[in-house]
Amino acid sequence: MTLTDKVDLPMPQIPRTGSFDSTLALLREGYDFISNRCARYGSNAFETRLMLRRVTCVTGEEAARMFYEPGRFTRRGAIPQPTLRLLQDVGSVATLDGEKHRHRKAMFLSLMTPTSVRQIGEIFINEWQRRLPQWEAKERIVLFQEIQPILCSAVARWAGTPLRGKELEARTREFAAMIDGAGSAGPRQWRGAWLRRRTERWGRRVIDEIRSGARAVPDESPAAVIARHRDLSGHPLSTSDAAVELINLLRPTFAVDRFIVFAALALVEHPDARAFVTGGENERLEAFAQEVRRYYPFFPVVGGRALEPFGWRGRGFRKGDWVLLDLYGTNHDERIWEDPNSFRPKRFLEWDNNPYSFIPQGGGDVRSNHRCPGEPITVEIIKRAIDMLANRLDYDLPPQDLSVSRSRMPAVPKSRLVITNVRPRN
Ligand code: HEM
């Protein structure tokens, strides 16, 4: 079957779970929570309660089309406040709607020119190469930990706000804690929230210094673009909103650390896939990077609250209704993907670019909805990392627990991927 043959089954009613509230089941089943129930009910949607609130959970291409209809959902009130604070924050583009959102989003998208994307890739690889002698000298490298300061330093340099020494250590620690804390309730989340305050103080200082001229930054650098951005009425962003958006650029780029570790895991777990990228051909590196984003778990879901009433699947949704779209499940939906639980980068050599079937960072039209603007730099960094790990380095893999729990959000291999005897390939 081809992608276009596949349609959702007719579904007159949206089933409702038997349990009063499914929060514990969500925490227990993690990435599989929505697809488990959709399979059980033979439906691409079901209703339940999470944290005592009524919610409709949906999965698959047709659901993504419904969800990413421009102007349909706001992100305000759609994810728990502590998670919002760690991942986006009040005043960020994610909390805007309509024209204000489009205008702010255009600023982010203006940073994703092909030149700018290539630049971050080059800076990242240079940073990595600069640290290689230290890797060679170490007995063992925990990839997840060691790649973090490299990414942090690279994205900060690219943004025009280079970090060194203690500052680099502090931002690395803070970004890691924010991302790790976002998918949990309890100590991981508290730590992320506590450390985030320091990042915000730093961000406000950077914006103030750029605006006062005390900090010299290249005119076209992302930090300068954010500092001088004006809203629709021509006013500069408040210092704290500008700082939030600067962090909104740095922290998610740092989060590519997980995809890099998953790419390394794929090279280990799927020897055929390693052969697929030997030689470093650009098209194949890209296909591999896309398959990493499809196959491995990162963002489980996105949430929205209806801005206006609308109908879908014969049901009326009211203003304010809460809907969760299953990103992970859609990327593993067998109506869309042949053999979805096999890692097969080759599938992306023939991919039709459907923006509703492959949604690791959201879907639809990036300019007019909340789809992630950072996909070009995410893919670029993963591609560069795959080339480095598959073609430019040799290393050994000691025995370790490489399992990935699908109930831990965000997921990461248990061992954080340990490599030994790292040396550049001659
Ligand atoms: C690690 C890889 C990344 C993942 C898994 C990821 C995932 C996501 C997801 C799921 C959303 C929400 C989509 C929605 O609400 O519909 C999002 C939004 C966003 N992401 Fe990313 N992202 C990543 C990298 C990046 C990068 C590199 C940037 C840097 C520009 C970035 C900046 C943003 C921003 C600003 C938003 C809010 C967009 C809006 O509300 O319009 N992300 N991301």
Side-chain angles (χ1 to χ4, degrees):
M1 245 196 304
T2 67
L3 245 167
T4 42
D5 296 332
K6 299 182 183 186
V7 288
D8 288 294
L9 296 172
M11 194 191 60
Q13 273 192 333
I14 295 183
R16 199 168 286 180
T17 55
S19 58
F20 175 72
D21 186 276
S22 301
T23 310
L24 288 178
L26 170 66
L27 294 175
R28 203 170 47 240
E29 295 171 43
Y31 291 89
D32 299 324
F33 169 76
I34 296 183
S35 46
N36 281 348
R37 276 153 194 76
C38 286
R40 192 178 306 157
Y41 301 126
S43 162
N44 65 352
F46 64 91
E47 278 179 22
T48 188
R49 277 175 203 271
L50 290 173
M51 294 163 292
L52 304 177
R53 277 170 58 193
R54 218 167 62 109
V55 61
T56 307
C57 299
V58 301
T59 194
E61 180 180 340
E62 200 218 330
R65 283 183 193 279
M66 172 278 287
F67 189 85
Y68 279 106
E69 182 69 34
R72 177 156 283 169
F73 290 108
T74 179
R75 301 299 182 260
R76 278 175 290 125
I79 49 172
Q81 192 69 10
T83 304
L84 176 78
R85 284 270 300 144
L86 289 179
L87 288 184
Q88 293 285 340
D89 213 351
V90 179
S92 74
V93 62
T95 62
L96 302 177
D97 293 302
E99 271 313 299
K100 282 187 182 165
H101 171 260
R102 266 178 187 267
H103 182 70
R104 183 83 61 86
K105 190 72 173 278
M107 175 194 75
F108 274 97
L109 292 171
S110 75
L111 306 174
M112 300 294 147
T113 61
T115 310
S116 172
V117 170
R118 201 177 48 251
Q119 264 166 5
I120 195 166
E122 282 164 8
I123 296 172
F124 166 62
I125 284 302
N126 288 341
E127 284 291 328
W128 197 341
Q129 269 160 346
R130 211 170 53 77
R131 279 177 188 249
L132 266 188
Q134 290 167 37
W135 285 34
E136 285 178 69
K138 282 190 184 174
E139 210 165 288
R140 65 200 282 278
I141 291 290
V142 181
L143 187 63
F144 185 58
Q145 279 163 17
E146 298 283 344
I147 208 72
Q148 289 179 342
I150 294 176
L151 268 170
C152 192
S153 177
V155 64
R157 188 173 297 277
W158 171 77
T161 53
L163 294 166
R164 284 178 206 92
K166 293 253 174 290
E167 261 202 337
L168 176 61
E169 276 171 32
R171 298 299 83 82
T172 300
R173 201 167 42 245
E174 291 155 16
F175 292 144
M178 282 185 233
I179 296 156
D180 210 47
S184 75
R188 262 167 53 205
Q189 190 174 75
W190 304 332
R191 181 164 184 271
W194 184 65
L195 287 177
R196 181 179 170 117
R197 285 195 218 120
R198 294 191 195 170
T199 328
E200 282 174 353
R201 277 201 294 277
W202 168 82
R204 288 194 293 268
R205 198 176 68 237
V206 168
I207 296 294
D208 279 341
E209 288 173 0
I210 295 174
R211 286 177 171 169
S212 70
R215 178 186 285 253
V217 288
D219 226 26
E220 294 316 312
S221 64
V225 170
I226 293 172
R228 66 168 182 261
H229 177 75
R230 290 179 179 266
D231 66 18
L232 281 173
S233 12
H235 298 117
L237 299 181
S238 68
T239 306
S240 68
D241 284 1
V244 159
E245 296 301 34
L246 177 62
I247 298 169
N248 237 345
L249 192 67
L250 303 179
R251 185 208 41 244
T253 310
F254 178 93
V256 181
D257 61 349
R258 279 189 157 73
F259 280 141
I260 293 174
V261 169
F262 285 135
L265 182 60
L267 289 170
V268 172
E269 286 183 327
H270 308 282
D272 305 354
R274 177 182 278 272
F276 181 81
V277 284
T278 307
E281 198 189 306
N282 184 52
E283 207 190 2
R284 287 175 170 241
L285 290 172
E286 175 137 350
F288 195 111
Q290 299 292 42
E291 183 68 344
V292 166
R293 294 198 309 141
R294 185 196 71 82
Y295 181 82
Y296 289 102
F298 199 155
F299 258 68
V301 296
V302 283
R305 284 169 71 96
L307 283 165
E308 297 294 337
F310 69 96
W312 183 68
R313 287 287 179 189
R315 188 191 132 187
F317 286 76
R318 290 162 308 181
K319 185 175 173 178
D321 277 359
W322 186 29
V323 174
L324 286 186
L325 171 67
D326 183 13
L327 301 182
Y328 178 77
T330 303
N331 291 338
H332 290 80
D333 186 336
E334 55 193 18
R335 292 166 302 176
I336 302 171
W337 305 99
E338 206 179 299
D339 204 2
N341 296 318
S342 294
F343 186 86
R344 294 202 337 222
K346 197 163 169 271
R347 66 173 94 237
F348 278 100
L349 292 179
E350 292 136 27
W351 178 46
D352 66 354
N353 275 301
N354 180 336
Y356 300 100
S357 59
F358 176 49
I359 54 172
Q361 294 172 228
D365 174 22
V366 69
R367 287 158 306 169
S368 56
N369 65 43
H370 290 278
R371 180 179 185 155
C372 176
E375 288 183 288
I377 59 180
T378 304
V379 173
E380 175 72 14
I381 293 171
I382 307 173
K383 272 165 61 179
R384 301 270 186 165
I386 295 164
D387 192 35
M388 188 78 159
L389 290 163
N391 299 319
R392 292 161 192 260
L393 290 182
D394 283 316
Y395 45 87
D396 300 328
L397 195 82
Q400 59 193 288
D401 185 351
L402 289 170
S403 64
V404 179
S405 162
R406 293 222 293 274
S407 60
R408 187 199 198 277
M409 295 179 283
V412 68
K414 190 115 192 234
S415 66
R416 283 23 178 193
L417 217 139
V418 179
I419 52 178
T420 53
N421 197 14
V422 179
R423 63 252 177 231
R425 187 170 298 171
N426 293 318

